Amino acid sequence: MADRPGVAAAAGEALSEAVRGRWAKAGKQAGVLGVAVGVVAAGAVAGVAAERLTVGRSIRRRAQLALDVAGPYGSLRGTPGTVVAEDGTVLSYETDPAEAYGAGADGAGAAQVGPGQRVLGALGLGHPRVDTGTGQAPSRPPLTAVFCHGYALNQDSFHFQRQALRGRVRSIYWDQRSHGRSQRGVTQGDGTPATIDELGRDLKAVLDAAVPEGPVVLVGHSMGGMTIMAFADQFPEFVRERVAGVAFLGTTAGGLGTVTFGLPAAGARTLHRVAPGVLRALGNQVDLVERGRRAASEVLTSLVKRYSFGSRDVDPAVVRFAQRMLESTPIDVVAEFYPAFAAHEKTEALAHLDGIPVLILAGERDLITPLDHSAAIAAQLPGAELVPVKDAAHMALLERPELVNAHLAGLLVRAADRAGAALPEPIRALAATVSAGARPPDA
């Protein structure tokens, strides 16, 4: 592998070339830059060397196609729905209903609820009737988990979590504006960058449409965690009344301008200084950059594996799955969102979550939102559970799904008990594997 200083210098030269607009001579550099910028979303950064591959391009392409067929990741689908955001952007979401809770004559199969409560039957999809000890059986909305994905990804990034909860916990998966199946942001149509506060308001629109009643658990990865913080900052009353739990996976409350991405200090400072201008330039040359990204697909694979995953034994099909999500995000969308991260500062907003069950989980090898950023969030929320994940990086939810799912199940148990909501036994059993020290079952 090439030495980092040499690669950083080469990247800096290519960046300058792109900024000056000399696209005809810098097509290849622009393509590589587009790849690198796109990969920042899930754990890569410009200026890092990629290992040279020793097989032909046609063979590599056939291998990619084989991985696409072999890996069913991202294939899970729910009931589709849409909602219109405040600026007219159509946001897409999917609902995975829980199986109707119910018990036979002997009580077998009853969902587990809090002390003094017993499931009597079901009303609608996953709406249990709970005996409150008064002789009445009022309808009670179920606990709903709402998943917010990261930058340049989409709702499919929660594939393993969706697999574990499917049919057991009512869940909502949505694509943030300009990502996945959601419409390109209307506000961004005139070149206005996206903001984290705007994403927080988008989340409110999704909640109003998809979860009009009942307790919710908000789960956010990377940018999705920032979205939740912005939501809490703008809608604290909703948080007090209906949020029963929050999970922050590989995210930050601020200070991204100081992250080095594993580069030497000088290289990191250069990256932070030139990235906004380079992204604007790349965003204005979409066709050229996208062609370059496709041509440099093998470089992207190397970068995804190096910066998104922290261990050497990651399933190649999972790496390819992450790569496909990144490839599907246009470079101009990447450019529109990038300025929002430097401006993101929501430490004070965390106070609205105090007293609510909170899970904070991060890979120990995360170079994008380092573990100390998660520790800083935990310092603001003394009652939160902080889980460092060994040998994992920014995509721990894909890299260590069994562990992530078990801790998420634990959060759901705490949230359900706090809200008096029903929860099926398999979720409680999965949560118990963490407290018992056992290896969580495969998702």
Side-chain angles (χ1 to χ4, degrees):
M1 180 175 290
D3 63 298
R4 286 188 175 183
V7 173
E13 182 178 347
L15 290 172
S16 299
E17 186 87 355
V19 171
R20 288 195 295 269
R22 292 159 61 181
W23 297 99
K25 296 182 180 180
K28 183 176 180 180
Q29 292 96 321
V32 174
L33 284 171
V35 170
V37 170
V39 178
V40 166
V45 59
V48 178
E51 296 178 359
R52 293 183 177 273
L53 302 182
T54 59
V55 295
R57 177 171 295 177
S58 63
I59 296 177
R60 293 195 298 269
R61 181 57 183 158
R62 287 198 296 272
Q64 288 181 338
L65 293 174
L67 289 173
D68 290 346
V69 173
Y73 311 124
S75 60
L76 300 178
R77 299 267 64 88
T79 303
T82 59
V83 62
V84 179
E86 62 180 6
D87 68 341
T89 301
V90 179
L91 304 173
S92 177
Y93 66 87
E94 295 182 6
T95 303
D96 280 3
E99 295 176 357
Y101 294 126
D106 60 354
Q112 301 298 302
V113 296
Q117 299 178 342
R118 178 171 59 89
V119 173
L120 297 178
L123 297 174
L125 292 174
H127 288 242
R129 292 189 299 154
V130 179
D131 183 353
T132 60
T134 63
Q136 298 177 343
S139 172
R140 182 173 301 216
L143 184 74
T144 301
V146 180
F147 289 79
C148 310
H149 68 77
Y151 176 43
L153 300 172
N154 58 56
Q155 61 173 274
D156 292 341
S157 60
F158 293 108
H159 174 85
F160 292 110
Q161 291 67 51
R162 191 169 192 166
Q163 192 176 54
L165 301 183
R166 199 167 177 83
R168 295 169 175 170
V169 177
R170 184 174 189 267
S171 303
I172 306 296
Y173 303 87
W174 67 291
D175 290 319
Q176 303 222 47
R177 62 172 53 223
S178 302
H179 292 71
R181 294 171 176 81
S182 286
Q183 182 187 3
R184 182 69 173 275
V186 171
T187 303
Q188 286 70 56
D190 60 1
T192 303
T195 68
I196 301 300
D197 283 341
E198 186 175 40
L199 300 183
R201 294 190 292 273
D202 287 351
L203 173 56
K204 178 61 160 56
V206 171
L207 289 168
D208 288 345
V211 200
E213 60 178 345
V216 298
V217 172
L218 303 176
V219 183
H221 170 241
S222 192
M223 183 179 75
M226 302 177 207
T227 298
I228 293 171
M229 295 175 200
F231 166 80
D233 192 35
Q234 296 173 91
F235 304 101
E237 184 175 347
F238 187 107
V239 173
R240 287 193 300 271
E241 294 180 353
R242 295 187 53 200
V243 175
V246 173
F248 290 127
L249 312 178
T251 191
T252 179
L256 282 174
T258 63
V259 175
T260 66
F261 304 110
L263 295 172
R269 287 194 298 269
T270 299
L271 175 63
H272 285 296
R273 185 175 67 252
V274 305
V278 170
L279 279 166
R280 285 194 298 271
L282 293 174
N284 290 328
Q285 298 288 338
V286 176
D287 292 341
L288 175 63
V289 174
E290 293 303 329
R291 286 198 300 270
R293 289 173 80 179
R294 289 191 294 270
S297 179
E298 65 272 14
V299 178
L300 179 57
T301 301
S302 180
L303 288 171
V304 168
K305 186 169 183 179
R306 180 178 176 85
Y307 279 85
S308 296
F309 303 99
S311 58
R312 296 182 178 181
D313 60 347
V314 181
D315 181 352
V318 171
V319 177
R320 173 59 184 161
F321 171 48
Q323 179 184 350
R324 289 204 316 270
M325 285 188 283
L326 293 168
E327 290 175 338
S328 70
T329 306
I331 191 64
D332 46 343
V333 171
V334 174
E336 289 166 0
F337 277 75
Y338 186 82
F341 303 119
H344 173 65
E345 177 48 65
K346 295 296 181 186
T347 301
E348 293 184 1
L350 295 174
H352 297 302
L353 305 177
D354 192 21
I356 296 173
V358 175
L359 167 66
I360 305 167
L361 185 147
E364 291 184 349
R365 297 184 178 182
D366 191 339
L367 299 177
I368 304 306
T369 52
L371 180 59
D372 59 356
H373 284 238
S374 289
I377 297 173
Q380 300 296 317
L381 299 169
E385 177 188 16
L386 176 61
V387 181
V389 183
K390 186 178 180 181
D391 294 332
H394 196 59
M395 297 296 290
L397 69 169
L398 293 177
E399 187 171 14
R400 293 288 181 262
E402 298 91 350
L403 180 65
V404 172
N405 292 350
H407 281 283
L408 181 58
L411 173 68
L412 291 170
V413 168
R414 296 192 296 275
D417 290 349
R418 181 176 187 270
L423 200 66
E425 177 57 31
I427 298 298
R428 293 181 178 273
L430 179 59
T433 62
V434 173
S435 58
R439 181 183 184 276
D442 290 340

